[in-house]
Amino acid sequence: GMHMPMGLMDGSLANITGFVEPDSSQASTLKTEMEDSGLAAGMIAGAQGPTDARPVFVANDLKAETGERRLAHGGNAGSQNTAVIVLYQPCGNNLDAGTTKDRLENAFFSSTTGSFQQVLDTCSRGTVKFTGSVIGPIDACPTSTDPWTTYTTIEAQLRDTAEWKSATYKLLILPRAWMTSVGLGTVGGGITWYSESYISKPQLFLHEIGHNWKLHHAGGAFASQEYSDTSSAMGYCCTTRCYNFLHSWQLGFAEYDDAQEVTASDVVSSTRKITLTALGVQAKSGVKINTASVSGGRRLNVPAFIVLSYRASTGTDQYLTGTKYGDTVQISHWDGDSRTHAAITHLLDSVEKGSTILVQDTDRSRTRILTDLKLTVLGTKGETSDSVDVLLCQRLASEVASTPAADLIPCSEGAAPTPGPEPTTTTTTTTTTTSTTSTTTAAGEAQYVVGEMGSNECPDGYEHVDEQNCLEVTHSLLPPGQTSFPTLNVGSYVGWNWVPPACCMDRNWKAIYNVQVGGRNKGVFRPVCQKMASELVSFVGFCRYGDNLRHYMKSVVTSSISACRYFCSQTSGCSAYATEVRAATTIYCHLYRGGPYTAGSGTPSAQPATCSVLNSMAAASANDTNTSDPGLSDVDEEGVTFTTTTIDPDATISSTTTSTTDADTTTTSTAAPKAPSKGGAWSAYFNNEESSKAVVSVGALVGVGCQGQFCGDIMVSHRADVLLQSQSITVHQLESDVGDLVCQAGQVVSHVTCIGENCDSIRLHCAAPKSGSVVGAPYEDQWFPKTIHGTEHSYCAGDAVAVGIHCAGARCLQKKLVCQEFAPSKEQDCVPYCGVLGLECGDDGCGGSCGTCEGTGTFQGDMAPFCRTDVGRCMYTLASDASETGKNMTRTDLVSLGMGCSGRYCSRANLIQWSISVDASNFRYSPWISDNKGKRWFWNKKEDSATDLAADCPDGMAVSFIECAADHCDNLRFHCAKPLMWTVDMTEDPVITDWFSEEDGGRMDCPDGKAITGVECQALKKWCIKDCNSYCDNKRLRCRSIRPEMAGAAMLGAQHVDQLPSSAEPAQSSESFWDKAGSFFGAVSAASTPSVSMGSLILLAFVFFY
């Protein structure tokens, strides 16, 4: 579900107009382009299946036939639901060994922490339940990897089974080699598809089943930000979230507070006070503000409205703790007219307590529309409460969109009204119909025209309208009585090669803009054109790269100037470009590193660059000698048109057009450049863990660039003037290809490190600034690189610093920076971060304290907590009850740091654990281990034999449970799960402890900061009389560090004393690093660790950088 047509649902009728692609080669290309970027990049090369010989129908327009869809009452989510989950192995593509029925039953149906059912129970306030079964794996071979073909093949196999017939919801789990997208879901109906790589993510199930419940995506202010509202499960994958207010209302989990509904005119004469109850606490929590506009994009002619809701970090919104959305008032726009209307929700603003903003609506395309409303949220920033008071008033005439927030005068309750602005309208789209072919100026000259149907070219004397004006101009050219489409459909050549370049309209008058230049008109589009600023005519022709940049663009283009500019902006090292018109038939595009071509010189100029060059290319550029371009050797100076532009790679394109034709010269300028970055020099490229850790900086990260396969070579830029704290570092790591890595609120990015060779995945490290703070709402930059495996970089402009990175495509092959403004402290003093991060104990970063754990509560009246200073939380050490032959320990769902044993041959084993939860819904079994492989004696049963002497948890998991089999607990198996809101550090080698048994104390703990990720039995001695190591008598642990993903109050994985399992007992901590050093970055002595080998002690040196 990338871009669903508005209102289209499973089972509805649709009118589709278009054509069947007659060119078989082009049809094959279109099929590839319709797959996601992972498939296009070749990630599915190993999949085996029949050749797809189906024709391709190119749809120019799709309209759903919708009837009355309103519900009499209630929401779209049923209270009792039945589902069947199908494990499917198509055409020899097997599921991973860890994708099992047990795992899916726990991940979906169980009520354990982190399961879909547990999270849904939270989000629905306990009103929605799922029951059902998991079946498979099922083997077959569909005729195509297409999701519908896959579904119909499965349906044909299972339609007569009781599980299939009884289930309303069908969930299909597919191998990554077959389905490289994250997930898909029908809008309405009950079919969803999932890649096995993401089955541990409850948010993905909430998202795709949300589509079944007729929800669209949770977006930002514009249609191009379709997934940007990550406060909702309907935003980007895969961080656990419930739904925003509008989606919760559609599902029946929330209601409007009708008594507080506001009309914009209500605040003209006085301030209106509204009390918003937190969505997470009470269902009746949203307030509607009616505006004076009507949205042309809606199915019914109903008034537009804005919705206010308060997202406190509690209840259903507990997952927002520590995020940019926690404890903020959300202002949203929605074009729906009923609970069942599948329309994008647009998050306009998230407003912190104590802040004032001007309310700006959206046209959903590219423009924010200033209303007459101003909003002040009362209270203190970062303060959590069950409700918040909001003041609505009329903005002053002097307060405009560009007015800094600090200069806005807050609304004042009971104050006398102040003169406001002249009445404005919040109408999102205005359509003015003048002529079917042109819009004329006062002098009668046609300023705007549409070209011929099927043509790429504008008429002589005209050029394509730019993207910014495409929608407005297209509306002005509509015939009388024609209804306008509210948004501009923007796309690119990848998947759009049948759409002409630049601005055009289709046969149904929809405004379209193709940002790439290689499209070809299939006969159903007309170019939208404007009068050229000069008398020059842009000729159609071919563009190619010059100056040894070695690329040849064969596609015909209509706007050579903008095409050449685009080529330069996409080419590493390009600092200038020039277009050359030859014989009025062909245009060449020349790209230069050292300055533009000069008319009459005959060869590219070797003069120094007139602008900045990419820092990463500086050395190469300095040593590069421009060679003669054979294509310029016979240039006739007279009548040649040149466009020369200098390109600052850290800015948007700012161009000056100089045209020479018969000695006449015209100069024009374009948009203002993007503000430069305050970052320092770019680092060298790195592509693995070792080289990424070699990039050392104590400042905030502001820029990221990449090149090579899957964007695998990365470079970064930091600000030296924004120093960061060395404590309460949080770590965020992708567990799959796509997702968002965002720092905890109040933190900024400090480092990016690679996971694996060729940077298969990335890890984000975050810390709080030592002085100053991030302010305002975070915002997203553009995706980069724009072409798969391309070279490009991005940065946070001006005073902004990076607070996150979004990843898309296979192995994060496209990235997007999340930025936030940084405000330095006026005194330049150290800023304690206890309140910023919600720390309850430990160092405040400035030499003071956030408090102690005294008075926090003792476990079973005996054990006091200790402060784990890397997260600023009070924690407990517990001992589970024992597992022995015939009886297993009670599940605690906690992370294990040590193991104990008692009895002959260490026959009773238990775990020493922290009060840190695991995601128990997605546990994995280890193999059985013992002191020998297979059967020791011929009379042993096969099922009593072990497969190995040692076993490790899957990557990213730690031990949480242990079970015994055979005499004296001879065979051991443990359960592994991911620590909740912690990352197991797989970049370091595991530390291996000494052997232990009941004879030498019967307990072994991992070194501080580490958890058990594997266990080993000492091998049986074949020739011995005593001390033969029988029955896995001697054991040792394999340990890895766990890194916090959140700190302070946002660390939901840290359990309070009243949440601890009653089956456990207090355990005495070994002499602890947390107790001794008091800081995760302090010195560690050998005495402060349990008994470990010398090789393990050497590895401890690597703990301090992550």
Side-chain angles (χ1 to χ4, degrees):
M2 280 296 292
H3 300 287
M4 302 183 299
M6 294 294 185
L8 185 64
M9 298 186 298
D10 180 59
S12 64
L13 299 177
N15 293 318
I16 305 175
T17 58
F19 61 92
V20 176
E21 175 56 61
D23 187 330
S24 59
S25 176
Q26 177 65 12
S28 178
T29 301
L30 288 173
K31 288 176 186 177
T32 300
E33 292 168 349
M34 285 188 285
E35 302 287 356
D36 73 5
S37 56
L39 179 57
M43 292 299 290
I44 201 172
Q48 300 298 317
T51 302
D52 188 352
R54 297 172 300 163
V56 173
F57 184 85
V58 180
N60 296 325
D61 188 60
L62 186 152
K63 292 181 180 178
E65 290 187 356
T66 54
E68 178 60 47
R69 297 188 292 146
R70 296 176 185 270
L71 296 183
H73 57 81
N76 300 338
S79 58
Q80 297 294 328
N81 305 278
T82 305
V84 60
I85 301 175
V86 181
L87 306 182
Y88 198 60
Q89 300 184 143
C91 305
N93 292 277
N94 292 329
L95 293 164
D96 183 79
T99 305
T100 63
K101 293 173 66 174
D102 283 348
R103 188 179 180 197
L104 264 298
E105 285 169 355
N106 274 282
F108 193 85
F109 294 113
S110 79
S111 58
T112 54
T113 301
S115 71
F116 163 73
Q117 182 61 69
Q118 180 267 316
V119 176
L120 177 62
D121 192 63
T122 298
C123 299
S124 68
R125 308 179 199 276
T127 62
V128 179
K129 305 292 182 184
F130 269 81
T131 58
S133 58
V134 182
I135 59 177
I138 305 294
D139 295 294
C141 193
T143 58
S144 164
T145 60
D146 169 73
W148 278 109
T149 303
T150 301
Y151 168 75
T152 55
T153 304
I154 296 173
E155 194 270 342
Q157 288 180 269
L158 301 177
R159 65 176 60 146
D160 295 327
T161 64
E163 295 92 342
W164 187 269
K165 289 192 292 186
S166 64
T168 305
Y169 297 91
K170 279 84 173 177
L171 291 77
L172 313 182
I173 310 300
L174 299 166
R176 177 178 177 179
W178 192 262
M179 180 180 175
T180 56
S181 56
V182 176
L184 296 169
T186 60
V187 183
I191 310 167
T192 51
W193 298 256
Y194 305 89
S195 168
E196 64 172 328
S197 302
Y198 301 88
I199 58 175
S200 64
K201 305 296 183 182
Q203 184 264 353
L204 183 59
F205 292 119
L206 288 169
H207 184 110
E208 303 306 342
I209 292 174
H211 286 320
N212 292 167
W213 286 335
K214 305 180 183 71
L215 301 184
H216 206 307
H217 292 135
F222 306 120
S224 60
Q225 302 168 326
E226 189 168 333
Y227 294 82
S228 293
D229 177 11
T230 51
S231 73
S232 171
M234 300 309 294
Y236 283 115
C237 183
C238 292
T239 305
T240 302
R241 297 283 189 267
C242 289
Y243 300 100
N244 62 27
F245 170 80
L246 283 163
H247 286 145
S248 296
W249 173 77
Q250 286 187 268
L251 298 179
F253 306 160
E255 299 293 338
Y256 284 104
D257 186 351
D258 295 332
Q260 295 197 88
E261 186 170 321
V262 178
T263 299
S265 59
D266 294 345
V267 301
V268 172
S269 57
S270 63
T271 296
R272 177 71 177 267
K273 182 178 181 179
I274 299 171
T275 299
L276 296 173
T277 303
L279 170 64
V281 173
Q282 182 174 305
K284 185 180 287 187
S285 54
V287 173
K288 186 184 297 183
I289 303 176
N290 295 298
T291 63
S293 64
V294 172
S295 171
R298 304 164 85 172
R299 295 186 299 106
L300 302 177
N301 193 30
V302 295
F305 58 87
I306 291 171
V307 175
L308 301 182
S309 60
Y310 173 44
R311 307 293 300 276
S313 303
T314 186
T316 65
D317 279 336
Q318 61 185 270
Y319 304 109
L320 300 182
T321 305
T323 73
K324 64 181 179 180
Y325 302 108
D327 304 307
T328 64
V329 171
Q330 292 193 339
I331 306 176
S332 302
H333 172 111
W334 190 55
D335 289 326
D337 55 72
S338 71
R339 292 188 197 261
T340 56
H341 191 168
I344 296 174
T345 62
H346 296 279
L347 178 59
L348 304 178
D349 286 292
S350 292
V351 190
E352 297 175 328
K353 291 181 179 179
S355 300
T356 297
I357 69 159
L358 301 180
V359 178
Q360 298 186 68
D361 204 347
T362 178
D363 69 352
R364 285 94 70 222
S365 178
R366 307 192 75 75
T367 305
R368 295 296 298 271
I369 303 169
L370 183 63
T371 72
D372 293 340
L373 298 176
K374 182 167 56 176
L375 179 144
T376 296
V377 181
L378 303 180
T380 303
K381 176 181 176 181
E383 177 185 70
T384 299
S385 58
D386 290 344
S387 65
V388 67
D389 288 331
V390 171
L391 302 180
L392 273 176
C393 63
Q394 189 177 36
R395 66 178 174 89
L396 302 178
S398 58
E399 295 174 330
V400 295
S402 59
T403 303
D407 295 339
L408 297 175
I409 299 176
C411 296
S412 178
E413 188 176 4
T418 54
E422 291 297 317
T424 64
T425 178
T426 57
T427 302
T428 57
T429 305
T430 302
T431 301
T432 305
T433 303
T434 56
S435 169
T436 59
T437 58
S438 65
T439 302
T440 60
T441 63
E445 181 184 17
Q447 181 67 24
Y448 303 110
V449 299
V450 289
E452 296 182 7
M453 181 72 77
S455 173
N456 279 6
E457 302 179 44
C458 287
D460 288 352
Y462 289 84
E463 62 184 355
H464 280 282
V465 172
D466 60 24
E467 182 180 350
Q468 184 176 359
N469 297 309
C470 185
L471 179 65
E472 180 180 357
V473 173
T474 301
H475 285 171
S476 74
L477 297 171
L478 294 178
Q482 176 62 44
T483 302
S484 66
F485 286 84
T487 59
L488 175 66
N489 196 2
V490 180
S492 66
Y493 176 76
V494 178
W496 269 37
N497 57 1
W498 48 274
V499 178
C503 182
C504 65
M505 64 170 64
D506 67 8
R507 62 176 61 178
N508 295 307
W509 316 101
K510 184 180 294 183
I512 296 172
Y513 194 93
N514 191 352
V515 300
Q516 295 278 21
V517 299
R520 57 193 182 99
N521 200 323
K522 295 295 292 187
V524 294
F525 301 94
R526 293 189 289 184
V528 177
C529 312
Q530 63 186 4
K531 189 69 177 176
M532 297 185 71
S534 69
E535 298 302 318
L536 297 176
V537 177
S538 294
F539 295 95
V540 178
F542 296 88
C543 281
R544 68 181 175 84
Y545 288 110
D547 190 23
N548 287 332
L549 296 183
R550 304 184 190 285
H551 191 88
Y552 181 57
M553 184 68 187
K554 294 183 178 180
S555 300
V556 174
V557 299
T558 57
S559 178
S560 61
I561 293 173
S562 62
C564 197
R565 177 178 64 195
Y566 177 79
F567 295 158
C568 187
S569 69
Q570 297 301 295
T571 302
S572 178
C574 180
S575 61
Y577 64 83
T579 56
E580 175 201 359
V581 180
R582 292 192 178 185
T585 58
T586 305
I587 300 175
Y588 286 98
C589 174
H590 304 284
L591 307 186
Y592 303 109
R593 290 192 177 97
Y597 169 73
T598 302
S601 68
T603 60
S605 171
Q607 62 184 319
T610 57
C611 61
S612 300
V613 181
L614 279 169
N615 287 323
S616 62
M617 294 293 295
S621 299
N623 297 324
D624 182 57
T625 302
N626 291 329
T627 58
S628 176
D629 183 346
L632 292 174
S633 60
D634 58 350
V635 172
D636 180 4
E637 182 178 353
E638 183 177 357
V640 176
T641 303
F642 291 97
T643 302
T644 59
T645 301
T646 56
I647 304 295
D648 180 348
D650 287 340
T652 54
I653 297 170
S654 176
S655 63
T656 301
T657 303
T658 305
S659 306
T660 307
T661 304
D662 298 329
D664 292 333
T665 301
T666 304
T667 302
T668 59
S669 61
T670 59
K674 177 181 177 180
S677 164
K678 290 189 174 181
W682 289 90
S683 70
Y685 280 109
F686 54 84
N687 58 17
N688 56 42
E689 177 196 351
E690 183 178 0
S691 58
S692 62
K693 287 186 175 181
V695 179
V696 179
S697 174
V698 293
L701 185 139
V702 293
V704 176
C706 68
Q707 67 176 9
Q709 292 290 303
F710 299 100
C711 197
D713 296 326
I714 295 176
M715 64 177 183
V716 292
S717 174
H718 291 82
R719 280 183 64 172
D721 62 324
V722 182
L723 300 181
L724 305 180
Q725 299 281 3
S726 60
Q727 297 176 342
S728 294
I729 309 293
T730 59
V731 176
H732 308 264
Q733 181 177 322
L734 287 180
E735 297 176 44
S736 48
D737 291 331
V738 302
D740 57 317
L741 301 173
V742 180
C743 295
Q744 184 173 341
Q747 291 187 323
V748 303
V749 179
S750 61
H751 296 88
V752 172
T753 53
C754 288
I755 306 299
E757 295 299 320
N758 301 315
C759 220
D760 295 332
S761 184
I762 61 173
R763 172 184 286 178
L764 213 63
H765 309 255
C766 303
K770 279 188 174 181
S771 177
S773 61
V774 284
V775 296
Y779 64 90
E780 298 173 358
D781 206 63
Q782 300 298 312
W783 287 107
F784 72 94
K786 295 183 179 65
T787 56
I788 294 176
H789 312 314
T791 298
E792 194 174 345
H793 73 282
S794 179
Y795 67 89
C796 297
D799 290 322
V801 294
V803 295
I805 297 177
H806 291 314
C807 282
R811 288 159 53 177
C812 192
L813 61 80
Q814 284 190 303
K815 299 173 175 62
K816 179 194 287 186
L817 283 178
V818 182
C819 306
Q820 194 170 5
E821 293 296 311
F822 175 78
S825 172
K826 293 181 179 179
E827 296 80 16
Q828 293 298 314
D829 291 333
C830 183
V831 178
Y833 52 76
C834 304
V836 174
L837 302 181
L839 308 184
E840 61 182 347
C841 63
D843 195 341
D844 68 354
C846 299
S849 173
C850 295
T852 68
C853 292
E854 294 182 11
T856 305
T858 58
F859 177 52
Q860 296 188 358
D862 186 32
M863 184 182 65
F866 67 93
C867 181
R868 179 142 182 170
T869 53
D870 58 341
V871 292
R873 291 292 299 272
C874 297
M875 293 192 181
Y876 300 82
T877 307
L878 304 85
S880 73
D881 56 1
S883 285
E884 55 187 309
T885 302
K887 174 187 174 295
N888 286 324
M889 64 174 279
T890 306
R891 283 185 59 169
T892 59
D893 295 334
L894 300 176
V895 175
S896 303
L897 65 104
M899 181 183 292
C901 71
S902 61
R904 188 182 181 193
Y905 299 116
C906 215
S907 59
R908 291 186 295 276
N910 71 330
L911 295 173
I912 312 302
Q913 300 181 309
W914 283 310
S915 54
I916 297 176
S917 297
V918 297
D919 181 357
S921 67
N922 281 284
F923 74 85
R924 303 276 291 275
Y925 293 109
S926 75
W928 287 98
I929 62 172
S930 186
D931 53 84
N932 64 290
K933 298 181 184 179
K935 297 194 296 181
R936 181 177 179 183
W937 308 107
F938 69 87
W939 58 79
N940 291 141
K941 297 179 181 179
K942 183 178 180 180
E943 56 267 26
D944 289 339
S945 59
T947 58
D948 212 331
L949 303 181
D952 292 293
C953 287
D955 288 357
M957 293 186 172
V959 172
S960 64
F961 182 90
I962 193 166
E963 55 182 308
C964 293
D967 293 341
H968 303 291
C969 199
D970 184 14
N971 300 331
L972 291 170
R973 180 172 73 168
F974 44 93
H975 300 187
C976 303
K978 181 189 180 299
L980 194 63
M981 288 196 170
W982 298 75
T983 295
V984 176
D985 192 344
M986 302 305 299
T987 66
E988 65 180 18
D989 292 327
V991 170
I992 301 174
T993 68
D994 282 343
W995 298 104
F996 72 99
S997 186
E998 83 279 0
E999 295 95 345
D1000 49 18
R1003 174 174 167 177
M1004 180 61 67
D1005 288 1
C1006 287
D1008 301 283
K1010 291 179 168 56
I1012 305 175
T1013 57
V1015 180
E1016 181 180 357
C1017 295
Q1018 193 169 28
L1020 175 71
K1021 297 178 183 178
K1022 292 186 177 180
W1023 306 105
C1024 66
I1025 298 176
K1026 63 176 183 177
D1027 298 329
C1028 297
N1029 303 331
S1030 299
Y1031 304 109
C1032 189
D1033 185 14
N1034 297 321
K1035 306 173 181 66
R1036 64 181 180 184
L1037 310 178
R1038 304 184 187 196
C1039 310
R1040 292 183 185 273
S1041 298
I1042 59 172
R1043 313 298 191 193
E1045 297 171 0
M1046 291 288 187
M1051 172 48 74
L1052 301 182
Q1055 291 201 349
H1056 294 284
V1057 64
D1058 56 358
Q1059 297 174 306
L1060 299 179
S1062 59
S1063 61
E1065 296 181 353
Q1068 183 66 41
S1069 297
S1070 59
E1071 192 172 5
S1072 173
F1073 172 73
W1074 311 110
D1075 301 331
K1076 293 272 292 184
S1079 167
F1080 190 67
F1081 294 86
V1084 181
S1085 65
S1088 69
T1089 67
S1091 175
V1092 295
S1093 65
M1094 286 305 296
S1096 301
L1097 287 175
I1098 293 171
L1099 290 171
L1100 288 175
F1102 294 96
V1103 169
F1104 309 114
F1105 178 86
Y1106 58 95

